[in-house]
Amino acid sequence: MPIELGPFPAKPGYDTARALDRADPLRSHRDSFIFEDPEIIYLDGNSLGRLPSAAPEALNTAVRDHWGRGLISSWNERWWDLQLELGDALAPIIGAGPGEVIISDSTSVNLHKLASAALTRQGKAKIVTDDLNFPSDLYVLDSVARASGGSLHIVESDGTHGPTSGLADALDGDTALLSLSHTTFNSGFTYDMDGITSMAHEAGALVLWDCSHSVGVVPMQMDDWEVDLAVGCTYKYLNGGPGSPAFLFVRERLQSELTNPIHGWWAHEDPFALHPTFQPTDGMRRFHVGTMPILSLVTVEAGLAPVLEAGVEAIREKSVALTEYFIELTDSTLADVGFSLAGPRDADTRGSHVSLTHVDAWPLTRALIEVGKVVPDFRAPDSMRFGLAPLYTSFTEIHTAVHRLRQIIERQIHEEFRGIVSKVT
Ligand SMILES: *Cc1c(COP(=O)(O)O)cnc(C)c1O
């Protein structure tokens, strides 16, 4: 017999949640997404955004018409520059100009390309980061620093907040590059991108931001804040689909000073002349390597549209309201059953996800998904992460999710899920 929560009586405060939804200026944007199972409360949009309503049709056209009928001619007609066009479409979301952004490869690969290019340009090889950065970023930065004969300096934090003063101390004359996650993947701490960028510049370092957890939900001004380099995912809050290629930003005046360490034909000044030697082209195309995954670019296009339509400022406003509401409910409903907030209380330093710790985080996550029909994600060893995607997450969903979680604990339902093993958490 599957365990069921049974009828779910409206809990105190439900009317408040409904009123917040009615007053939400972004509520109609939920229609830009597909809800295959309307019962599921999806709070994992910071790992894999929901399916945009326009994506299946766009993919179908790309497969049947452009691939099926157009065959190779579709490269000329529409595919060759698609990643540049989408880069320009994404640019306003991050406060960048045309010709400063491309879509290409994965975030990890783009980070490698840009960090390596930065070290070569700087003629030094020390990289500074913090221990809140995503592990893949730490691996990439470490390997890039070592390959240039330098090292990665990882500044320690308190586990939640970015160690700003520790970073200031670590930036010295040998430092080529400061690279950080804008919003950190676990606690959701969000750096003052403008201030930290200036701090790096004063120390003579370039700065490379990973915006995977902030792009599309936290406004940023790459040009005004004189950011040098940035990368980030398109499959999280930008809803580009599983494994969709990442973005890569290079400030215009640096483009000609940087060289892509991976010499591929897509970055050649004349790719179809098929020269035996590499000659990089100008502009952002020089940061490409090889052939683009066109079908994934098509879904990136479908994912960007609702974000551009709503506007990042409005999205941020709702994001702050959602995280504040979630934290308020955590304090009132979950604190006395063992949950603690593992992220910042100050909205100015928070992204759009909230992390809670609990000793039983893993069985609770499984029970919440299987029995509660609420999807968060789990981050070892003891945190549950709730990604609140403003385009499709409602206040009533948050209210229901929190109360279902409490009900699971009260009835000890998670005890049944202790031994479960899962490949992806
Ligand atoms: C999600 C995420 C990545 C993922 O990188 P991939 O190369 O796409 O697997 C990298 N960095 C950060 C900070 C992330 O949040």
Side-chain angles (χ1 to χ4, degrees), residues 46 106-109 133-134 136-137 181 183 185 210-213 233 235-236 244 246:
N46 58 328
S106 70
T107 298
S108 305
V109 171
N133 208 345
F134 189 63
S136 188
D137 293 43
S181 286
T183 295
F185 79 104
D210 187 332
C211 304
S212 292
H213 270 95
C233 295
Y235 52 77
K236 293 172 177 167
S244 62

mmCIF file of all heavy atoms in Angstrom, residues 46 106-109 133-134 136-137 181 183 185 210-213 233 235-236 244 246, ligand 1:
data_model
loop_
_atom_site.group_PDB
_atom_site.id
_atom_site.type_symbol
_atom_site.label_atom_id
_atom_site.label_comp_id
_atom_site.label_asym_id
_atom_site.label_seq_id
_atom_site.Cartn_x
_atom_site.Cartn_y
_atom_site.Cartn_z
ATOM 1 N N ASN A 46 15.805 25.632 -9.974
ATOM 2 C CA ASN A 46 17.192 26.111 -9.995
ATOM 3 C C ASN A 46 18.154 24.994 -10.401
ATOM 4 O O ASN A 46 19.349 25.224 -10.532
ATOM 5 C CB ASN A 46 17.590 26.683 -8.630
ATOM 6 C CG ASN A 46 17.433 25.669 -7.520
ATOM 7 O OD1 ASN A 46 16.547 24.815 -7.579
ATOM 8 N ND2 ASN A 46 18.275 25.749 -6.511
ATOM 9 N N SER A 106 29.313 23.760 -22.268
ATOM 10 C CA SER A 106 28.720 23.725 -20.929
ATOM 11 C C SER A 106 29.361 24.811 -20.067
ATOM 12 O O SER A 106 30.394 25.385 -20.430
ATOM 13 C CB SER A 106 28.945 22.356 -20.287
ATOM 14 O OG SER A 106 30.311 22.210 -19.968
ATOM 15 N N THR A 107 28.757 25.075 -18.914
ATOM 16 C CA THR A 107 29.327 26.075 -18.007
ATOM 17 C C THR A 107 30.755 25.700 -17.611
ATOM 18 O O THR A 107 31.657 26.538 -17.607
ATOM 19 C CB THR A 107 28.436 26.205 -16.757
ATOM 20 O OG1 THR A 107 27.152 26.652 -17.184
ATOM 21 C CG2 THR A 107 29.003 27.202 -15.767
ATOM 22 N N SER A 108 30.975 24.424 -17.292
ATOM 23 C CA SER A 108 32.323 23.994 -16.881
ATOM 24 C C SER A 108 33.346 24.242 -17.986
ATOM 25 O O SER A 108 34.451 24.731 -17.724
ATOM 26 C CB SER A 108 32.318 22.502 -16.517
ATOM 27 O OG SER A 108 31.354 22.223 -15.532
ATOM 28 N N VAL A 109 32.974 23.918 -19.226
ATOM 29 C CA VAL A 109 33.902 24.112 -20.346
ATOM 30 C C VAL A 109 34.156 25.607 -20.581
ATOM 31 O O VAL A 109 35.295 26.044 -20.780
ATOM 32 C CB VAL A 109 33.375 23.419 -21.630
ATOM 33 C CG1 VAL A 109 34.215 23.789 -22.843
ATOM 34 C CG2 VAL A 109 33.353 21.904 -21.439
ATOM 35 N N ASN A 133 31.950 28.055 -3.645
ATOM 36 C CA ASN A 133 31.825 27.873 -5.083
ATOM 37 C C ASN A 133 31.453 26.421 -5.399
ATOM 38 O O ASN A 133 31.747 25.501 -4.637
ATOM 39 C CB ASN A 133 33.133 28.271 -5.773
ATOM 40 C CG ASN A 133 32.906 28.763 -7.188
ATOM 41 O OD1 ASN A 133 31.817 28.562 -7.757
ATOM 42 N ND2 ASN A 133 33.904 29.397 -7.772
ATOM 43 N N PHE A 134 30.809 26.245 -6.545
ATOM 44 C CA PHE A 134 30.386 24.912 -6.979
ATOM 45 C C PHE A 134 31.625 24.036 -7.222
ATOM 46 O O PHE A 134 32.591 24.490 -7.833
ATOM 47 C CB PHE A 134 29.569 25.081 -8.270
ATOM 48 C CG PHE A 134 28.878 23.847 -8.736
ATOM 49 C CD1 PHE A 134 27.891 23.245 -7.972
ATOM 50 C CD2 PHE A 134 29.201 23.280 -9.959
ATOM 51 C CE1 PHE A 134 27.242 22.108 -8.413
ATOM 52 C CE2 PHE A 134 28.543 22.145 -10.415
ATOM 53 C CZ PHE A 134 27.566 21.560 -9.638
ATOM 54 N N SER A 136 32.513 21.785 -9.323
ATOM 55 C CA SER A 136 33.045 21.718 -10.685
ATOM 56 C C SER A 136 33.894 22.967 -10.980
ATOM 57 O O SER A 136 34.934 22.887 -11.633
ATOM 58 C CB SER A 136 31.900 21.602 -11.702
ATOM 59 O OG SER A 136 32.393 21.367 -12.996
ATOM 60 N N ASP A 137 33.456 24.108 -10.477
ATOM 61 C CA ASP A 137 34.220 25.342 -10.669
ATOM 62 C C ASP A 137 35.578 25.239 -9.973
ATOM 63 O O ASP A 137 36.605 25.661 -10.510
ATOM 64 C CB ASP A 137 33.449 26.554 -10.122
ATOM 65 C CG ASP A 137 32.176 26.843 -10.929
ATOM 66 O OD1 ASP A 137 31.459 25.874 -11.267
ATOM 67 O OD2 ASP A 137 31.903 28.015 -11.226
ATOM 68 N N SER A 181 31.026 32.249 -7.677
ATOM 69 C CA SER A 181 29.621 32.125 -8.071
ATOM 70 C C SER A 181 28.907 33.380 -7.595
ATOM 71 O O SER A 181 29.033 33.751 -6.427
ATOM 72 C CB SER A 181 28.973 30.914 -7.397
ATOM 73 O OG SER A 181 29.420 29.720 -7.995
ATOM 74 N N THR A 183 25.561 33.834 -7.233
ATOM 75 C CA THR A 183 24.723 33.251 -6.177
ATOM 76 C C THR A 183 25.257 31.859 -5.922
ATOM 77 O O THR A 183 25.396 31.067 -6.864
ATOM 78 C CB THR A 183 23.245 33.178 -6.630
ATOM 79 O OG1 THR A 183 22.755 34.509 -6.807
ATOM 80 C CG2 THR A 183 22.383 32.459 -5.594
ATOM 81 N N PHE A 185 25.622 27.969 -4.856
ATOM 82 C CA PHE A 185 24.662 26.889 -5.127
ATOM 83 C C PHE A 185 24.017 26.336 -3.876
ATOM 84 O O PHE A 185 22.891 25.852 -3.911
ATOM 85 C CB PHE A 185 25.342 25.749 -5.908
ATOM 86 C CG PHE A 185 26.183 24.821 -5.068
ATOM 87 C CD1 PHE A 185 25.726 23.555 -4.735
ATOM 88 C CD2 PHE A 185 27.430 25.206 -4.600
ATOM 89 C CE1 PHE A 185 26.486 22.692 -3.955
ATOM 90 C CE2 PHE A 185 28.193 24.354 -3.818
ATOM 91 C CZ PHE A 185 27.725 23.095 -3.487
ATOM 92 N N ASP A 210 30.476 33.214 -12.177
ATOM 93 C CA ASP A 210 29.606 32.131 -12.604
ATOM 94 C C ASP A 210 28.193 32.489 -12.145
ATOM 95 O O ASP A 210 27.916 32.544 -10.947
ATOM 96 C CB ASP A 210 30.050 30.792 -11.992
ATOM 97 C CG ASP A 210 29.259 29.614 -12.573
ATOM 98 O OD1 ASP A 210 28.101 29.826 -12.976
ATOM 99 O OD2 ASP A 210 29.805 28.494 -12.607
ATOM 100 N N CYS A 211 27.335 32.742 -13.109
ATOM 101 C CA CYS A 211 25.981 33.239 -12.801
ATOM 102 C C CYS A 211 24.928 32.143 -12.940
ATOM 103 O O CYS A 211 23.743 32.441 -13.135
ATOM 104 C CB CYS A 211 25.647 34.401 -13.734
ATOM 105 S SG CYS A 211 26.863 35.712 -13.656
ATOM 106 N N SER A 212 25.347 30.887 -12.845
ATOM 107 C CA SER A 212 24.410 29.774 -13.054
ATOM 108 C C SER A 212 23.165 29.864 -12.190
ATOM 109 O O SER A 212 22.063 29.566 -12.637
ATOM 110 C CB SER A 212 25.113 28.444 -12.774
ATOM 111 O OG SER A 212 26.083 28.213 -13.751
ATOM 112 N N HIS A 213 23.339 30.259 -10.923
ATOM 113 C CA HIS A 213 22.199 30.305 -10.006
ATOM 114 C C HIS A 213 21.576 31.686 -9.883
ATOM 115 O O HIS A 213 20.718 31.897 -9.029
ATOM 116 C CB HIS A 213 22.616 29.796 -8.623
ATOM 117 C CG HIS A 213 22.422 28.325 -8.486
ATOM 118 N ND1 HIS A 213 23.437 27.410 -8.707
ATOM 119 C CD2 HIS A 213 21.321 27.595 -8.202
ATOM 120 C CE1 HIS A 213 22.953 26.193 -8.543
ATOM 121 N NE2 HIS A 213 21.679 26.271 -8.243
ATOM 122 N N CYS A 233 24.665 28.822 -16.635
ATOM 123 C CA CYS A 233 23.786 27.813 -17.238
ATOM 124 C C CYS A 233 22.554 28.435 -17.879
ATOM 125 O O CYS A 233 22.085 29.486 -17.444
ATOM 126 C CB CYS A 233 23.272 26.865 -16.161
ATOM 127 S SG CYS A 233 24.542 25.880 -15.398
ATOM 128 N N TYR A 235 19.942 26.117 -18.299
ATOM 129 C CA TYR A 235 18.899 25.117 -17.994
ATOM 130 C C TYR A 235 18.290 25.281 -16.610
ATOM 131 O O TYR A 235 17.460 24.497 -16.205
ATOM 132 C CB TYR A 235 19.418 23.690 -18.193
ATOM 133 C CG TYR A 235 20.715 23.341 -17.492
ATOM 134 C CD1 TYR A 235 20.741 23.079 -16.123
ATOM 135 C CD2 TYR A 235 21.907 23.256 -18.202
ATOM 136 C CE1 TYR A 235 21.926 22.755 -15.480
ATOM 137 C CE2 TYR A 235 23.092 22.928 -17.569
ATOM 138 C CZ TYR A 235 23.100 22.678 -16.208
ATOM 139 O OH TYR A 235 24.270 22.355 -15.584
ATOM 140 N N LYS A 236 18.730 26.290 -15.857
ATOM 141 C CA LYS A 236 18.171 26.504 -14.523
ATOM 142 C C LYS A 236 17.006 27.487 -14.634
ATOM 143 O O LYS A 236 15.979 27.161 -15.209
ATOM 144 C CB LYS A 236 19.292 26.932 -13.569
ATOM 145 C CG LYS A 236 20.278 25.768 -13.368
ATOM 146 C CD LYS A 236 21.531 26.107 -12.599
ATOM 147 C CE LYS A 236 22.373 24.835 -12.415
ATOM 148 N NZ LYS A 236 23.727 25.095 -11.954
ATOM 149 N N SER A 244 21.157 21.970 -21.851
ATOM 150 C CA SER A 244 21.231 23.040 -22.865
ATOM 151 C C SER A 244 22.549 23.805 -22.677
ATOM 152 O O SER A 244 23.039 23.935 -21.552
ATOM 153 C CB SER A 244 20.029 23.979 -22.754
ATOM 154 O OG SER A 244 19.997 24.634 -21.508
ATOM 155 N N ALA A 246 25.588 26.548 -22.323
ATOM 156 C CA ALA A 246 25.712 27.667 -21.380
ATOM 157 C C ALA A 246 25.975 28.982 -22.101
ATOM 158 O O ALA A 246 26.272 29.011 -23.293
ATOM 159 C CB ALA A 246 26.853 27.363 -20.425
HETATM 160 C C1 LIG B 1 24.837 24.174 -12.256
HETATM 161 C C2 LIG B 1 26.192 24.762 -12.159
HETATM 162 C C3 LIG B 1 27.212 24.345 -13.019
HETATM 163 C C4 LIG B 1 26.972 23.216 -13.993
HETATM 164 O O1 LIG B 1 27.961 23.113 -14.936
HETATM 165 P P1 LIG B 1 27.796 22.174 -16.199
HETATM 166 O O2 LIG B 1 29.070 22.295 -16.877
HETATM 167 O O3 LIG B 1 26.613 22.668 -16.976
HETATM 168 O O4 LIG B 1 27.510 20.793 -15.708
HETATM 169 C C5 LIG B 1 28.444 24.976 -12.927
HETATM 170 N N1 LIG B 1 28.675 25.958 -12.019
HETATM 171 C C6 LIG B 1 27.711 26.353 -11.168
HETATM 172 C C7 LIG B 1 27.981 27.447 -10.197
HETATM 173 C C8 LIG B 1 26.456 25.771 -11.204
HETATM 174 O O5 LIG B 1 25.501 26.147 -10.359
#
